[in-house]
Amino acid sequence: MRHWRRTLFLAVAGLASSLGLGASARASAILFLEQTNLSRPAYVAYMQAFSPRVRAVLAQRPEIYTENLDLGRFDGAEYRRNLDRWLREKYAATKIDVVVVSGRVATHFARELRDTLWPDATLVFGALTLADAATFSAWPNATGILIEFDAGRTMEAALLVVPDALHVVYVDGARHTFPENAARSRRAVSAFAARRGLELIEFVGLTLAETKRGLAELPPRSIVYYGAVSVDGAGRAYVPQEVLAELAAVSAAPIFGDTDTFIGHGMTGGACLGMEALGVEMADIVGGVLRSGPATTGPSPVRRTEAFHVVFDARELQRFGLDARSIPGVEVRFNKPTLLETNLTAVIWGSGALVLQTGLIVALFLQRRRRQRAEHEVLDQRDQIAHAGRVSVLGQLASSLAHELNQPLAAILRNAEAAEIFLCASPPDLEELRAILADIRSDDQRASAVIDRMRALLQRRDLDSRPLELGALVDEVISLARSDAMAKKVTVEVDIPFGFPRIRGDRVHLQQVLLNLLVNAFQALEGSAERRVVVQGRVVGGTMAEISVSDTGGGIPRADQPRLFEPFFTTKVKGLGMGLPICRTIIEAHGGVLWAGDSGNAPGASFYFTLLLAGDPAPTRAPRVPSPARAPAAAR
Ligand code: ADP
């Protein structure tokens, strides 16, 4: 019975063990044996990527130990012996599952330690050369990755941005953490220079000051390969990244290299080992080993790292006037964010506002153009209408104009006949003949003045505003209408005070207004007992003249009053109904108003219009005294 229970217990324990349960589920232990120093920035990036990744692969938190062998700074058999002894004592009671190691010397050192302390542990290496990779992978229980630095690849990347380079400069320190690596890089840069036909300049094992001087005086079209100076020619130890920053500050040429973490510290770019990507790759290998148990004996397959990629620093490129934007498949870091990237919202709103504003301006501009065109059309139409109006008014006046012309022509004829008679006398009365010729000339001038006025009225013309004497303007119109007034037996009175200030307007257009109002008044007087028209002028408000034309006719029926200024409104058999609308248009174009009113208590109608005063001194014109000879009684 006891035997049976013990068998059952062992079976359950074995099952639990095989399922990873119970006491055997202790955390895996990983030991990093680093040839140099894991606190260097490159390794910080590497470890930051490694730890979370390996945790994710294993689905548990492994125990990670790190040891900086520091073989670059402390070397020699004595040091290594002490190191070996100390590590053995330190880890005597600690079981390690995976030893992760990089660097040729460190890998050999790690193997001895592993073989004696933790024979079951797997050695995971990062080999820098193919030969090392082949050697290490042939060891029992060892696997790793080949991290083949290639300075030639970095220099090819440099040529992407400096395609016209003439000189290749190789910079390296005096002693190396990875001497085998440094030697390979030097050979690769030299081979690159030879392959590309470029001059090779080497600054190797110089003091930091000498290297700086050399870089500052480089010829144009140089590209520099920086091989991580950790100890200079004077034997001083440095952090390679800090050396780089000092060199970059003075270098006349862009510096390239293959360490990712140098980007941002003065390196322009290169085919760099991405330490984070390498950390991930390493975590996958270590995780795989821990999940599937110790590697088998015999050589393990070693793959090349894929963590190399071409990368540039935008700020360094800009400093040397270089551009990598058009190169496909490269990473450019520290690109200054564009305005769009930093202020996307503001830019969107700003652009929106700008587009809106532009649209508004364009719309307003188009609207203004349309309005101007419409205004021009209106003005043109007004001119056409005014012209038509003038023609119609003159049509009505044609008979009286003929009469007006008849008078001087008849006088000329009579004077010519009288001259013939005087010429027959012996001796001829030369004095009388001279007087007759003078009369003929003045009659002729009168006739041509009538024709000129008619022609002026008939011509289509634009508004030609200028200071005008109101009295003279009224006189001219009364002269035109005189024969009509005589025929209709109408008396025209003018009441414009002496020294009346000049008005501003277009002479011919205003003549037309007055003529229209006079002719309308004459027509309204037909059949009236008293036939009188008064043209009055007075100043209103200091800046305007108000002119009225009043008659003693039948007046305007109340029902007609609202429609007087409508086009084609007429109460006459042969009327056109265009006179008053045209007059109003003309007066409004002059900045004035035209309206109809009654003549106060007197019968008849009154039409008023205002005009702007010219604002210049009043004319010094003699008071107009109606001359009996030129103004027949019926007209004045
Ligand atoms: P038309 O003289 O061809 O009729 P108008 O526009 O000059 O065109 O005048 C329109 C109408 O206004 C006239 O038909 C008339 O009925 C009225 N009217 C104009 N002036 C006077 C006036 N002085 N007295 C009475 N009615 C007038």
Side-chain angles (χ1 to χ4, degrees):
M1 179 64 188
R2 194 179 290 163
H3 173 74
W4 174 83
R5 281 171 60 185
R6 199 172 64 231
T7 310
L8 184 67
F9 172 79
L10 287 174
V12 170
L15 185 66
S17 161
S18 65
L19 288 172
L21 302 172
S24 66
R26 72 166 181 90
S28 306
I30 304 166
L31 170 64
F32 279 84
L33 286 179
E34 173 49 43
Q35 184 158 303
T36 59
N37 189 337
L38 278 165
S39 64
R40 282 163 59 170
Y43 288 113
V44 171
Y46 170 81
M47 288 306 284
Q48 276 174 351
F50 178 89
S51 303
R53 178 71 170 206
V54 84
R55 270 205 305 276
V57 173
L58 293 174
Q60 57 140 263
R61 183 182 290 275
E63 198 73 57
I64 295 178
Y65 303 91
T66 56
E67 296 297 340
N68 302 318
L69 303 183
D70 225 348
L71 296 176
R73 290 186 281 194
F74 308 93
D75 206 1
E78 176 76 22
Y79 171 72
R80 283 192 218 173
R81 257 197 313 279
N82 289 337
L83 196 59
D84 184 72
R85 193 172 55 241
W86 181 76
L87 287 171
R88 281 173 197 281
E89 280 175 20
K90 181 175 176 183
Y91 289 95
T94 308
K95 176 155 175 21
I96 297 294
D97 301 299
V98 172
V99 178
V100 183
V101 64
S102 67
R104 179 186 288 162
V105 182
T107 308
H108 283 282
F109 181 88
R111 184 193 170 177
E112 283 176 26
L113 206 62
R114 190 269 316 251
D115 286 354
T116 48
L117 270 185
W118 318 286
D120 293 340
T122 304
L123 192 67
V124 177
F125 55 84
L128 296 174
T129 67
L130 196 56
D132 284 346
T135 307
F136 303 155
S137 63
W139 295 345
N141 208 4
T143 188
I145 195 165
L146 175 59
I147 306 164
E148 216 174 10
F149 281 91
D150 184 352
R153 197 167 44 195
T154 277
M155 288 289 89
E156 293 293 347
L159 280 190
L160 290 175
V161 286
V162 193
D164 58 350
L166 292 178
H167 317 278
V168 182
V169 186
Y170 180 80
V171 176
D172 205 354
R175 257 188 302 143
H176 299 94
T177 321
F178 300 106
E180 69 277 13
N181 197 27
R184 242 168 38 88
S185 292
R186 191 172 181 176
R187 277 199 306 278
V189 171
S190 152
F192 163 80
R195 191 167 66 245
R196 291 286 186 169
L198 309 179
E199 187 204 7
L200 178 68
I201 302 169
E202 292 193 321
F203 296 148
V204 178
L206 305 180
T207 63
L208 183 58
E210 285 167 341
T211 312
K212 280 163 85 171
R213 250 197 319 278
L215 288 183
E217 289 163 10
L218 283 179
R221 294 162 73 180
S222 297
I223 47 177
V224 180
Y225 177 87
Y226 176 69
V229 176
S230 53
V231 180
D232 78 349
R236 284 193 57 186
Y238 293 97
V239 175
Q241 190 169 290
E242 290 170 7
V243 174
L244 170 66
E246 283 196 43
L247 297 181
V250 296
S251 178
I255 299 176
F256 299 87
D258 26 39
T259 304
D260 186 70
T261 45
F262 285 176
I263 294 283
H265 297 272
M267 193 166 86
T268 300
C272 295
L273 176 66
M275 293 303 278
E276 285 179 25
L278 184 66
V280 169
E281 283 185 10
M282 207 51 135
D284 287 345
I285 294 172
V286 171
V289 165
L290 288 171
R291 279 164 71 98
S292 55
T296 52
T297 49
S300 327
V302 174
R303 61 181 173 88
R304 273 194 170 78
T305 175
E306 289 170 6
F308 281 102
H309 68 300
V310 177
V311 55
F312 293 106
D313 183 331
R315 297 166 307 182
E316 294 299 318
L317 288 174
Q318 195 186 11
R319 195 178 129 209
F320 291 102
L322 308 175
D323 190 5
R325 275 173 302 184
S326 55
I327 305 169
V330 302
E331 181 191 350
V332 180
R333 288 186 204 160
F334 306 113
N335 250 326
K336 244 193 244 146
T338 59
L339 180 70
L340 192 68
E341 285 161 354
T342 46
N343 302 301
L344 185 65
T345 318
V347 168
I348 288 173
W349 279 108
S351 316
L354 202 70
V355 167
L356 209 71
Q357 198 182 29
T358 312
L360 216 64
I361 289 169
V362 169
L364 286 172
F365 178 72
L366 290 175
Q367 197 186 33
R368 185 165 163 264
R369 287 249 323 252
R370 270 204 300 274
R371 205 184 57 228
Q372 279 178 340
R373 204 174 300 142
E375 277 172 6
H376 278 130
E377 278 169 12
V378 166
L379 287 176
D380 201 43
Q381 270 174 7
R382 194 195 67 193
D383 282 353
Q384 283 181 24
I385 291 171
H387 178 66
R390 276 197 296 277
V391 174
S392 87
V393 169
L394 283 170
Q396 293 171 42
L397 284 172
S399 59
S400 46
L401 281 170
H403 180 71
E404 176 112 354
L405 281 177
N406 222 14
Q407 227 185 354
L409 289 176
I412 289 167
L413 183 66
R414 274 195 307 276
N415 277 319
E417 286 167 355
E420 276 173 353
I421 295 166
F422 281 117
L423 275 173
C424 293
S426 170
D429 187 343
L430 291 178
E431 205 47 44
E432 194 62 36
L433 278 170
R434 208 167 281 122
I436 288 172
L437 285 174
D439 278 356
I440 288 176
R441 182 181 294 116
S442 88
D443 284 336
D444 182 83
Q445 282 167 347
R446 261 176 69 203
S448 72
V450 169
I451 291 166
D452 279 351
R453 283 198 300 270
M454 199 159 75
R455 188 185 296 131
L457 271 174
L458 280 168
Q459 273 169 355
R460 255 194 78 193
R461 50 201 294 280
D462 298 330
L463 210 65
D464 175 21
S465 205
R466 54 182 66 195
L468 296 172
E469 230 181 288
L470 184 63
L473 185 79
V474 171
D475 271 356
E476 282 163 9
V477 179
I478 290 174
S479 305
L480 277 170
R482 185 183 295 129
S483 19
D484 198 27
M486 282 169 70
K488 295 192 168 101
K489 298 187 172 54
V490 177
T491 313
V492 181
E493 288 172 17
V494 177
D495 180 12
I496 295 171
F498 168 66
F500 195 86
R502 294 210 284 184
I503 50 105
R504 175 170 288 281
D506 181 298
R507 196 176 128 262
V508 176
H509 280 293
L510 293 179
Q511 277 180 355
Q512 182 181 346
V513 172
L514 279 166
L515 191 62
N516 244 309
L517 297 179
L518 280 179
V519 169
N520 274 350
F522 294 171
Q523 289 172 343
L525 288 169
E526 277 173 30
S528 295
E530 189 192 359
R531 298 182 186 180
R532 195 156 51 90
V533 176
V534 182
V535 181
Q536 255 182 325
R538 64 188 190 104
V539 174
V540 288
T543 54
M544 303 289 282
E546 185 189 274
I547 298 108
S548 63
V549 178
S550 312
D551 61 67
T552 52
I556 304 159
R558 196 160 291 275
D560 292 349
Q561 282 176 6
R563 303 185 58 203
L564 277 189
F565 294 92
E566 281 177 18
F568 308 112
F569 172 76
T570 183
T571 54
K572 299 167 195 167
V573 181
K574 290 183 181 168
L576 268 178
M578 288 302 293
L580 289 178
I582 290 167
C583 290
R584 178 168 268 183
T585 309
I586 292 174
I587 293 303
E588 284 175 358
H590 279 75
V593 280
L594 167 64
W595 71 98
D598 52 34
S599 311
N601 293 328
S606 285
F607 284 83
Y608 303 85
F609 62 92
T610 57
L611 290 171
L612 285 166
L613 293 176
D616 57 356
T620 49
R621 162 179 174 277
R624 291 176 306 105
V625 183
S627 113
R630 299 205 13 90
R636 294 252 164 148

